[in-house]
Amino acid sequence: MSIKRFSAAFLASVAAVVGIWAGFFPLSFHEFFPFPGWGWVSRLGPYNEHLVRDYGLSNLALLIFTVWVFRKPTTESLKVLGGGWLVYSSFHFLWHMFHLAAFPIWSRIGAVFSLALILVFSILPMIPERKKA
């Protein structure tokens, strides 16, 4: 499997977990994401069912597109996939970087690492192929 298809599989996995959890179980997502006892979302403000569901269902929309590209990868579709994820994940990453004070140190490290990982996997599908000699 190429790194570009692996990136799509990774991004699809993230979108599926977050999308199903936040979209269909928003209170649980708000209180327990990423693991019980950590409460990353609940540390950022009061519960808002509409906001959490919208976030989850937006991830499910990304999941549909990501799975489609994974199944039928072309140079163009991989670039569009990476671009879409990059727009989404870069703004998500930046927002959280300005709100790290709400977290203890290990949660700060986990948030920065996990959000940066999604950024990296968003960029990989857009890297041009090397010309073969």
Side-chain angles (χ1 to χ4, degrees):
M1 177 183 306
S2 74
I3 190 67
K4 293 181 180 200
R5 287 193 78 211
F6 180 79
S7 295
F10 174 82
L11 294 170
S13 299
V14 169
V17 170
V18 171
I20 291 168
W21 192 0
F24 296 104
F25 308 98
L27 183 58
S28 171
F29 183 84
H30 180 265
E31 292 180 2
F32 301 118
F33 180 83
F35 303 105
W38 289 41
W40 285 4
V41 180
S42 61
R43 289 179 179 271
L44 297 170
Y47 176 62
N48 180 325
E49 180 182 355
H50 179 212
L51 179 65
V52 176
R53 279 191 195 274
D54 279 0
Y55 172 71
L57 298 175
S58 295
N59 271 273
L60 291 179
L62 277 171
L63 173 63
I64 291 167
F65 179 59
T66 305
V67 168
W68 179 77
V69 172
F70 178 82
R71 293 187 69 225
K72 298 180 183 230
T74 65
T75 300
E76 184 178 32
S77 68
L78 286 162
K79 286 180 182 178
V80 172
L81 175 71
W85 271 94
L86 186 60
V87 168
Y88 165 77
S89 60
S90 60
F91 282 99
H92 192 184
F93 177 86
L94 285 173
W95 190 91
H96 281 285
M97 294 309 101
F98 288 110
H99 296 88
L100 288 173
F103 302 112
I105 189 66
W106 289 111
S107 289
R108 290 178 192 182
I109 292 167
V112 170
F113 177 77
S114 61
L115 293 168
L117 193 61
I118 294 169
L119 274 173
V120 169
F121 279 100
S122 298
I123 294 167
L124 291 175
M126 297 186 297
I127 296 175
E129 296 289 332
R130 288 188 175 175
K131 303 271 188 206
K132 293 182 182 175

